[in-house]
Amino acid sequence: MDRIVTHQPHRPRRANHVGRTRIHRFGATHHHQHVDVDLEPLGPRHSGCDQHLGALESVGGRQHHHPLGSDRTEEAAVEVVVEAERAATLQNHGSRHASTVGPGATSGSPLLPVGNYGDREAERSIVNTSATSHSPITRVGIVGSGIMGSGLAEVAARAGIDAVVRTRAASTGEAVLAGVAKGLAKQVERGKLSDEESQSIKSRISVVTDLEGLSDCDLIIESVVEDMATKKELFVELDRIARPDALLATNTSTLSVMEIATTTKRPESVCGIHFFNPATTMSLVEIIRPLTASDDTIARATAFAEQVGKQPVQVQDHAGFIVNALLFPYLNNAVRMLEKGTASMADIDIAMKGGCNFPMGPFALLDLVGLDTSLAILDALYAEFKDPNYQAVPTLRRLVEAGKLGRKTKSGFFEY
């Protein structure tokens, strides 16, 4: 490692003769992992590119062979040492992450999300978020009592965080609590939760009808109707009642986070934390960074997503972020294909499920998302990018005008 940090790496010929190296790394107290790295001696350098780095035996004993040209051998040797340093860095932060993930978190290694061994971006994200000087979130406020709002409350409560849901009426708050209780009861029946765990989760969720009831929260997440004017008006009030050190976040799926942030007197403390529906089962969270947000804000938001057992990805504040910017052109073009008569609606859905292994076809997914929501997302994408793929096709707009919004109205592309 001394050669790396002093910028004196081995020359390629020397790297070729490096023998077997074993790097030990220890995970949490119940994990003892090691990575075996075989750098087979390759002999003298040839003029061609037929030299190979030897087998990399990753955790679990699997072998991956990496053909490399002669001009890559030095880089490969350096990467071995850097990966060892990265593993050590992750281990230093492992206990923090293990202690903050609650009973509802994804099982597996406390150091890396399941399925991300060797994913350098995921590892780098975990290391960066550990650098924040703030304590883990212990109390989160949620504005919005719909499916997403109640889902966020359950996700937070499962992770040992007190969740306070603000609703406009007491009856709506009671419905939120009843809905969460019903879902937890089903999981107890199926043996996925104990009765004690269910009771503990429910005890952490409370409801209020006044925004002032969120004033002592570490983080407040807005999840109201996808309308810019409504969100901006709300954030003015949240800025007024929230603690000076509190984070303010929007769960918007498409709208400009910076435009929302600049309505407050703390734009550096506002970001997007976009959960996917249903929040209790979908693992991804998009952390949206507006130009106004500080590094500390993004680090705290990312750490919160990890704290509740989710896989965060960081994205710039562009309409649609990652998932919707890629997903909705596909959905829109499926409707366009139907309009052109290329195939029937049912056959397009069958084709995308069978040919791409998608869990559902585009029309079933549009109905699930909601045709009004889908139209709003496409309009926002088109307004920003002017890409024809984002311009909502007439059929979609007509269905929304007719009040056929998908599953929520029992009628959309399909009848329910």
Side-chain angles (χ1 to χ4, degrees):
M1 191 60 198
D2 288 342
R3 284 182 170 271
I4 304 302
V5 299
T6 58
H7 303 288
Q8 297 177 332
H10 289 303
R11 288 184 170 276
R13 186 178 300 276
R14 172 60 182 143
N16 279 343
H17 293 278
V18 176
R20 181 178 179 85
T21 303
R22 170 166 292 190
I23 302 169
H24 285 278
R25 96 183 155 190
F26 293 84
T29 55
H30 60 289
H31 284 279
H32 174 192
Q33 302 173 333
H34 71 268
V35 177
D36 290 338
V37 181
D38 288 342
L39 296 180
E40 301 291 350
L42 301 177
R45 177 167 22 182
H46 299 289
S47 58
C49 294
D50 58 349
Q51 299 184 13
H52 294 77
L53 182 65
L56 171 63
E57 301 173 10
S58 62
V59 176
R62 292 172 296 176
Q63 293 188 340
H64 306 277
H65 295 273
H66 300 278
L68 298 175
S70 58
D71 58 343
R72 286 272 290 135
T73 51
E74 177 179 2
E75 182 181 347
V78 170
E79 287 176 354
V80 169
V81 183
V82 172
E83 288 297 329
E85 288 297 300
R86 182 179 288 110
T89 303
L90 287 169
Q91 169 54 37
N92 290 338
H93 295 289
S95 58
R96 174 184 179 274
H97 287 282
S99 65
T100 57
V101 175
T106 305
S107 61
S109 168
L111 300 182
L112 292 175
V114 174
N116 277 305
Y117 291 104
D119 185 334
R120 295 180 189 174
E121 291 303 321
E123 293 176 1
R124 187 176 298 117
S125 173
I126 293 174
V127 172
N128 286 347
T129 58
S130 298
T132 179
S133 60
H134 294 269
S135 300
I137 301 297
T138 60
R139 189 174 181 84
V140 61
I142 299 160
V143 184
S145 54
I147 295 173
M148 179 57 75
S150 60
L152 291 178
E154 182 178 336
V155 166
R158 281 176 172 271
I161 299 171
D162 291 330
V164 186
V165 182
R166 188 264 186 171
T167 66
R168 290 185 177 275
S171 59
T172 309
E174 292 170 2
V176 168
L177 296 177
V180 172
K182 182 179 179 180
L184 293 174
K186 288 182 179 179
Q187 294 183 54
V188 172
E189 291 174 7
R190 296 170 184 168
K192 295 183 178 180
L193 276 180
S194 69
D195 186 61
E196 291 77 12
E197 288 171 328
S198 174
Q199 295 298 328
S200 179
I201 293 169
K202 288 188 290 186
S203 72
R204 297 190 191 101
I205 302 175
S206 59
V207 295
V208 296
T209 56
D210 193 334
L211 282 178
E212 298 285 350
L214 308 179
S215 61
D216 61 344
C217 292
D218 306 311
L219 163 68
I220 302 176
I221 305 176
E222 163 274 313
S223 184
V224 300
V225 63
E226 197 76 338
D227 175 73
M228 179 59 80
T230 301
K231 291 181 185 292
K232 290 168 75 170
E233 182 180 344
L234 173 61
F235 268 77
V236 169
E237 290 303 305
L238 293 180
D239 185 34
R240 179 182 63 80
I241 62 96
R243 294 195 330 239
D245 63 335
L247 286 184
L248 302 181
T250 173
N251 189 54
T252 181
S253 59
T254 306
L255 299 178
S256 167
V257 178
M258 187 174 72
E259 188 172 343
I260 296 170
T262 52
T263 64
T264 73
K265 296 177 181 178
R266 59 175 96 189
E268 72 285 350
S269 298
V270 180
C271 69
I273 302 181
H274 179 215
F275 285 78
F276 289 79
N277 198 22
T280 52
T281 58
M282 298 295 281
S283 62
L284 183 69
V285 173
E286 290 177 321
I287 306 297
I288 297 95
R289 177 193 287 269
L291 292 175
T292 48
S294 69
D295 289 344
D296 183 67
T297 291
I298 299 304
R300 292 173 67 190
T302 305
F304 167 71
E306 293 171 350
Q307 186 181 345
V308 297
K310 301 299 184 180
Q311 172 63 69
V313 292
Q314 294 184 12
V315 56
Q316 297 298 316
D317 185 20
H318 298 158
F321 315 131
I322 296 174
V323 174
N324 285 342
L326 293 174
L327 174 63
F328 278 88
Y330 153 68
L331 298 177
N332 198 40
N333 281 314
V335 185
R336 182 176 286 115
M337 181 177 286
L338 176 67
E339 289 181 342
K340 291 180 178 179
T342 304
S344 70
M345 188 165 60
D347 283 348
I348 293 172
D349 269 12
I350 291 170
M352 295 312 295
K353 288 189 291 183
C356 295
N357 203 28
F358 291 170
M360 64 176 61
F363 296 100
L365 182 55
L366 280 163
D367 277 353
L368 178 63
V369 171
L371 303 192
D372 54 338
T373 301
S374 300
L375 180 60
I377 291 171
L378 283 166
D379 284 346
L381 288 167
Y382 185 71
E384 178 159 338
F385 300 115
K386 304 302 182 187
D387 186 325
N389 284 310
Y390 293 134
Q391 189 169 20
V393 294
T395 296
L396 181 60
R397 200 172 294 278
R398 283 196 295 267
L399 285 170
V400 172
E401 290 172 353
K404 295 179 178 291
L405 308 182
R407 291 195 181 192
K408 67 176 78 175
T409 60
K410 307 298 183 184
S411 178
F413 284 104
F414 297 105
E415 299 295 320
Y416 299 90

